[in-house]
Amino acid sequence: MSFQEVRYRPIFGRVLALVTVVVCALGAVALLVADPASTLRYIWPVLLVGVLAWAVFWRPSLLVQEHGITVENVLRTSFVPWPSITAIDTRYSLTLHTANGRIAVWAAPAPGRHRTLGLAPKDFDGVGETAQGSVGELRPADALTTPSGNLAQLIRGRWERLRDADAFAPGVDPDATTITWHWATITVVVALTAATVIGLLV
């Protein structure tokens, strides 16, 4: 059962990150030119905003692969094998439920109310059976015309086909989710936060 990899990164988030980083860079240069003596004191919050913009808006991504799903969030990256998934939810964001807990996909938040006002029944055509509630209801975030719904359906479709084909072999550990923490990012953010506080208080 072949499957083509799909990577998703929200374009708006990447544009916002790029704009923020450019503004921070210009701000740092302006500070250096206008008041070199104060640069060492006030440069840290500017750098902190730039790093946070990159981590929050540029880094998050979703990679749907043949053997599982890689979710790259702000502070950690998770790899979830298909047998580890127990449910797919879109309440607040695209979320993978596993035996070890939930993994929210930062790259695919649920759409705002303004985005869902114009939804019609056709926007839900083909949504997988596992998306439906106890009485067959669907969330607006499950609409195929929204990023969260479109990605959720891509994952549900693959997961349901594997499940129905008994492709989840007994020898596969359903708890085999792996998590990699972004220690470099965490360290830089903590260091810049500390430098910002010290610079503003001294």
Side-chain angles (χ1 to χ4, degrees):
M1 191 179 295
S2 61
F3 184 83
Q4 184 176 0
E5 288 189 356
V6 175
R7 180 181 290 277
Y8 174 75
R9 280 194 171 101
I11 295 177
F12 176 75
R14 305 196 87 188
V15 171
L16 183 59
L18 185 59
V19 170
T20 304
V21 169
V22 169
V23 170
C24 288
L26 293 175
V29 172
L31 179 62
L32 180 62
V33 172
D35 190 1
S38 299
T39 299
L40 190 60
R41 180 178 180 183
Y42 296 112
I43 193 68
W44 309 114
V46 177
L47 295 177
L48 178 60
V49 171
V51 170
L52 288 176
W54 171 80
V56 174
F57 299 115
W58 183 278
R59 163 175 274 168
S61 69
L62 174 72
L63 178 61
V64 184
Q65 303 161 278
E66 182 178 0
H67 300 295
I69 300 170
T70 299
V71 179
E72 187 174 15
N73 286 334
V74 177
L75 298 180
R76 65 182 188 178
T77 295
S78 305
F79 175 73
V80 186
W82 292 106
S84 297
I85 300 174
T86 58
I88 299 104
D89 184 24
T90 59
R91 184 175 183 182
Y92 301 113
S93 68
L94 174 58
T95 302
L96 307 178
H97 293 255
T98 73
N100 294 325
R102 298 179 299 175
I103 299 175
V105 180
W106 280 60
R113 185 171 299 178
H114 67 283
R115 175 66 181 82
T116 60
L117 287 177
L119 293 178
K122 65 179 181 180
D123 294 311
F124 298 89
D125 288 347
V127 173
E129 43 130 345
T130 53
Q132 301 177 9
S134 57
V135 293
E137 73 276 15
L138 291 169
R139 292 191 174 95
D142 284 316
L144 301 183
T145 49
T146 64
S148 60
N150 188 276
L151 292 167
Q153 178 56 24
L154 173 68
I155 295 170
R156 285 192 188 104
R158 169 72 170 172
W159 182 68
E160 290 172 0
R161 287 193 299 273
L162 290 171
R163 178 202 60 186
D164 295 342
D166 292 326
F168 298 150
V172 176
D173 181 6
D175 301 331
T177 299
T178 58
I179 295 176
T180 303
W181 289 91
H182 303 154
W183 291 114
T185 300
I186 296 172
T187 301
V188 170
V189 169
V190 170
L192 289 176
T193 300
T196 296
V197 173
I198 294 172
L200 295 178
L201 293 180
V202 172

